[in-house]
């Protein structure tokens, strides 16, 4: 997968918008949810609005306590989207069609997949 960006490109992307949807993959695991929560916290500290979304389902017992931190509903009109821990848009389930017309950045650690988003930072 080619990498058309890096950390500075992600920071520039963040500077360009005020409201974000932070989306992770279907059947989330701990690294996905933690990545979303930490990123949303950072965005808020930068004065941005951020909501975490998960397509679920929350099947793993170790993440049950985190379920209340994530919206499963339709996106609430964010200006931009940051997708974490996803190597293909299909992994975000129903949100893939919702983000199709929104500026999207991807932060991931998987080196294989289908490139998507205007800005990507992939560090395997």
């Amino acid at each position: 997968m080619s990498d058309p960006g890096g950390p500075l490109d992600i920071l520039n992307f963040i500077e360009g918008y005020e409201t974000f949807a932070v989306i992770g993959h279907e059947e989330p695991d701990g690294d996905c949810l933690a990545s979303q929560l930490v990123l949303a916290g950072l965005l808020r500290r930068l004065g941005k609005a951020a909501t975490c979304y998960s397509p679920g389902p929350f099947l793993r017992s170790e993440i049950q306590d985190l379920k209340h931190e994530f919206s499963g509903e339709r996106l609430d009109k964010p200006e931009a989207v940051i997708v974490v821990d996803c190597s293909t848009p299909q992994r975000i389930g129903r949100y893939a069609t919702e983000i199709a017309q929104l500026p999207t950045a991807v932060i991931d650690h998987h080196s294989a997949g289908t490139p998507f988003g205007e800005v990507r930072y992939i560090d395997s």
Side-chain angles (χ1 to χ4, degrees):
M1 175 187 306
S2 65
D3 179 11
L8 291 178
D9 295 302
I10 296 294
L11 289 174
N12 289 333
F13 181 86
I14 290 169
E15 288 176 0
Y17 304 98
E18 295 301 316
T19 61
F20 293 88
V22 180
I23 302 175
H25 60 72
E26 292 178 310
E27 298 182 26
D29 51 11
D31 72 317
C32 178
L33 299 181
S35 296
Q36 288 181 260
L37 292 171
V38 169
L39 179 58
L42 172 65
L43 291 168
R44 291 179 191 123
R45 287 192 62 136
L46 293 172
K48 312 291 183 173
T51 303
C52 292
Y53 293 88
S54 177
F58 287 74
L59 301 175
R60 297 168 186 250
S61 60
E62 69 271 15
I63 63 169
Q64 290 300 309
D65 292 344
L66 296 174
K67 185 176 182 177
H68 70 280
E69 300 282 342
F70 296 84
S71 176
E73 303 300 316
R74 293 183 58 82
L75 302 184
D76 189 24
K77 299 184 176 114
E79 291 179 286
V81 174
I82 302 177
V83 176
V84 298
D85 199 30
C86 286
S87 59
T88 67
Q90 294 78 17
R91 295 253 6 241
I92 60 173
R94 66 181 175 278
Y95 297 122
T97 55
E98 286 191 70
I99 72 166
Q101 302 304 316
L102 293 171
T104 301
V106 177
I107 302 172
D108 193 13
H109 65 100
H110 300 99
S111 60
T114 304
F116 69 107
E118 288 78 20
V119 176
R120 293 186 295 282
Y121 177 52
I122 313 300
D123 186 349
S124 60

